[in-house]
């Protein structure tokens, strides 16, 4: 079974993504921040991490780098309230980012990406 980790402070978006992932028969772990990550989470090999990039005390690019370094995964999707083109371009310049989605979300497009892997 494919495994997905969702990291999202916005509880409504967290629940929407969690339901989308479960609907596609993926095992889902949903947390509000990296502080809620435990050792077992870090040792999982996630097929996808779907995460926001806006967390207090850390710049978006630093957050992405930290996630990529700390959690084993194959694909990284960004789902965020931050829709600035400059930030989007900087995030896509990083290796390993499979998609960037700003609110309002296109759930069909997110679902299409997770189904293709």
């Amino acid at each position: 079974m494919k495994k997905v980790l969702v990291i999202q402070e916005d509880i409504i978006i967290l629940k929407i993504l969690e339901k989308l992932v479960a609907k596609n028969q993926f095992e889902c772990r949903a947390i509000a921040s990296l502080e809620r990550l435990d050792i077992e989470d870090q040792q999982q090999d996630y097929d996808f991490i779907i995460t926001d990039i806006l967390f207090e005390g850390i710049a978006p690019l630093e957050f992405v780098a930290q996630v990529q370094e700390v959690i084993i995964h194959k694909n990284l999707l960004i789902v965020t309230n931050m829709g600035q083109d400059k930030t989007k371009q900087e995030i896509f310049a990083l290796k390993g980012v499979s998609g960037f989605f700003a609110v309002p979300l296109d759930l069909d497009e997110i679902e299409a990406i997770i189904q293709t892997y």
Side-chain angles (χ1 to χ4, degrees):
M1 178 177 267
K2 290 186 178 183
K3 296 178 185 171
V4 178
L5 174 64
V6 177
I7 308 169
Q8 179 62 247
E9 278 187 331
D10 183 315
I11 192 72
I12 294 169
I13 295 174
L14 176 78
K15 291 299 181 187
I16 289 169
L17 292 171
E18 187 176 20
K19 286 183 182 190
L20 177 71
V21 167
K23 176 183 142 196
N24 286 278
Q25 282 82 45
F26 296 145
E27 183 180 319
C28 183
R29 168 96 162 102
I31 57 177
S33 68
L34 280 181
E35 286 79 39
R36 301 202 182 217
L37 203 63
D38 60 32
I39 299 296
E40 188 176 301
D41 293 322
Q42 293 178 36
Q43 295 171 344
Q44 294 290 324
D45 185 4
Y46 289 100
D47 293 285
F48 277 96
I49 296 175
I50 304 173
T51 186
D52 198 346
I53 53 173
L54 295 175
F55 294 95
E56 193 172 324
I58 186 164
L61 290 174
E62 288 176 38
F63 179 80
V64 171
Q66 189 175 17
V67 165
Q68 290 179 321
E69 185 177 310
V70 172
I71 308 167
I72 301 167
H73 63 283
K74 294 176 182 74
N75 302 285
L76 181 64
L77 293 177
I78 307 299
V79 174
T80 185
N81 284 317
M82 177 183 268
Q84 296 176 352
D85 286 336
K86 181 180 185 238
T87 302
K88 184 176 182 176
Q89 291 170 353
E90 291 171 343
I91 296 288
F92 267 126
L94 300 173
K95 290 184 177 168
V97 177
S98 304
F100 186 104
F101 302 92
V103 173
L105 300 175
D106 184 341
L107 294 176
D108 291 337
E109 194 171 342
I110 295 171
E111 186 172 31
I113 289 177
I114 65 172
Q115 288 176 346
T116 60
Y117 288 92

